[in-house]
Amino acid sequence: MRKLRSTISLLALAGVSLAGCSQPGGPAVPATWQAAGLSGDASALQTIYSFTGVPDGTSPNGDLIAVKGALYGTTANGGVSNLGAVFKVSLAGNEQMLFSFGGGAGSNSPNSGLLYRSGTLYGTTNTVSYDIDAKGNEHVLHALGGGADGYDEQGPLVYFNSLFYGATQLGGEKQCNSGCGLVYAVSSAGKEHVVYDFKGAGDGFDPQGGVALAGSTLYGTTSYGGKDDSGTIYSLTANGTKKTIYNFTGDSDGSYPTGRLLISQGTIYAATRYGGQYGYGSVVAISAAGKATVLHQFSNKADGGQPNGSLVLVKGTIYGTTLQGGSGGKGVVFSLTHAGQEKVLGDFHSSNGDTPQAGLVFLNGSLYGSTIKGGPKNAGTIFKVKP
């Protein structure tokens, strides 16, 4: 285990942190920020599908994608062999298992969302990138060899200039005990090359949110490292030129960013799982010049706690989920204005879902997401909520 992994538990216990006030030169906090006094509504969340485990899957853990009016995603477990599945759910709640992982060549336990391109779905497991055609046939695009090749893939793939780009949490440079993680590119023929190896320490390590693409530049986060050991935001060109855009301080901006970045009109929006005034994370806006504005610090009360999934922007408003907090203590769906005004759209109470780990997708006027637990079989749910 890495030295800094122990900081997770320490940060989680830091419920009364002196880091609530920005340090000189640190992130600004809008005057409109509110810590509590929010009320969600469990009835606002409509469950459209509840997983049962075998054969349909357990623990949908990656961001959903919308393709031709339906939702597609992955489950970490369940399926025919209890090694995970790729599924499709209609907006009416009809589920179809497209592929059930059966092991072999590292083909099990998908841990991130999907990419759709030209009739084919692309995704990753801990050790492979794969594609699935319209008939449900799976093909291993590239099997990671571990070590310098990387392993423990994180986040969905992105496609640019005839290559698929992804990130691994581990492997690569040896400065970290299990490798510091890396960003790689792989062709449709399965030829892979490492774009960048993280160096640990000030350079950052453990890239857990995958990569986002804006123009011709990749953007992502490292959950650890940076100047204050609280994670970083970086940019990366296709030829491997990397720049650290922002170093999280563990102060009001939080620490341990994990979700995929949201990039809009030159501003980067990120969520941190820990840190902030109460120790339960923040949402931060980063300007092109690297200046941070804290939009909200979570208290783990009515407003939720520990945002983990990717953020989404709909008609000028930011939406996301938290792992816990809310009136049921099982997480919330929230909205957030650019001025820092937060509103809880719905609370989870086990029966309608528990622990929304992934981000949201907007389709036909509603937001859709998943929970890794909850529902009648406690195997997770797909839910819907109006923004």
Side-chain angles (χ1 to χ4, degrees):
M1 296 297 288
R2 308 178 182 192
K3 177 186 71 173
L4 289 178
R5 294 220 189 253
S6 62
T7 61
I8 294 180
S9 58
L10 294 176
L11 287 165
L13 294 173
V16 183
S17 173
L18 297 178
C21 300
S22 293
Q23 298 171 347
V29 181
T32 53
W33 177 78
Q34 295 184 353
L38 306 165
S39 59
D41 182 4
S43 64
L45 294 170
Q46 177 185 347
T47 301
I48 68 168
Y49 186 76
S50 296
F51 290 90
T52 62
V54 177
D56 63 337
T58 302
S59 301
N61 59 344
D63 294 351
L64 298 174
I65 61 170
V67 179
K68 298 180 180 180
L71 303 169
Y72 291 77
T74 60
T75 66
N77 303 301
V80 173
S81 301
N82 202 29
L83 293 173
V86 177
F87 65 85
K88 172 185 177 181
V89 174
S90 73
L91 300 191
N94 299 311
E95 192 255 9
Q96 176 185 357
M97 187 176 65
L98 303 178
F99 181 77
S100 182
F101 290 92
S107 187
N108 62 79
S109 300
N111 57 2
S112 60
L114 298 167
L115 168 69
Y116 176 82
R117 179 174 170 77
S118 302
T120 301
L121 295 168
Y122 297 86
T124 63
T125 70
N126 285 343
T127 56
V128 306
S129 52
Y130 63 87
D131 59 61
I132 295 176
D133 65 22
K135 296 182 179 180
N137 300 310
E138 187 231 21
H139 165 253
V140 173
L141 193 62
H142 178 72
L144 294 173
D149 197 30
Y151 61 99
D152 199 358
E153 301 204 51
Q154 298 289 317
L157 299 169
V158 299
Y159 184 81
F160 171 67
N161 200 22
S162 301
L163 293 173
F164 298 92
Y165 290 85
T168 69
Q169 181 182 356
L170 304 173
E173 292 286 343
K174 298 296 186 181
Q175 286 92 328
C176 309
N177 290 340
S178 301
C180 300
L182 54 84
V183 175
Y184 68 91
V186 60
S187 71
S188 57
K191 184 178 179 180
E192 185 247 18
H193 72 272
V194 174
V195 179
Y196 186 79
D197 279 305
F198 291 96
K199 310 299 188 295
D203 189 51
F205 60 97
D206 273 18
Q208 291 194 39
V211 292
L213 181 68
S216 59
T217 303
L218 300 168
Y219 295 84
T221 63
T222 64
S223 295
Y224 296 105
K227 291 181 179 178
D228 295 288
D229 245 357
S230 296
T232 70
I233 295 175
Y234 65 87
S235 65
L236 183 64
T237 65
N239 65 5
T241 301
K242 184 251 189 188
K243 177 183 177 182
T244 298
I245 297 174
Y246 184 73
N247 292 278
F248 288 94
T249 67
D251 191 59
S252 57
D253 58 343
S255 62
Y256 197 67
T258 57
R260 196 183 213 177
L261 294 171
L262 167 64
I263 304 171
S264 175
Q265 298 181 340
T267 299
I268 298 173
Y269 299 90
T272 56
R273 193 190 296 184
Y274 300 108
Q277 182 176 8
Y278 301 97
Y280 291 97
S282 302
V283 173
V284 183
I286 312 292
S287 71
K291 180 181 178 182
T293 298
V294 179
L295 300 182
H296 187 74
Q297 300 175 79
F298 291 89
S299 68
N300 203 41
K301 296 181 181 177
D303 63 333
Q306 296 189 337
N308 183 78
S310 307
L311 301 172
V312 63
L313 185 68
V314 179
K315 297 179 180 179
T317 299
I318 300 163
Y319 296 90
T321 60
T322 67
L323 292 171
Q324 56 189 57
S327 63
K330 307 295 184 180
V332 307
V333 178
F334 67 87
S335 67
L336 192 60
T337 68
H338 294 287
Q341 183 73 37
E342 194 222 30
K343 178 182 178 182
V344 173
L345 303 183
D347 294 292
F348 294 96
H349 292 77
S350 291
S351 60
N352 67 342
D354 180 342
T355 316
Q357 179 171 290
L360 301 166
V361 63
F362 182 73
L363 178 62
N364 293 354
S366 293
L367 293 164
Y368 294 85
S370 63
T371 65
I372 61 172
K373 297 187 288 184
K377 299 292 186 180
N378 198 32
T381 67
I382 304 295
F383 64 86
K384 167 185 175 180
V385 64
K386 285 286 186 179

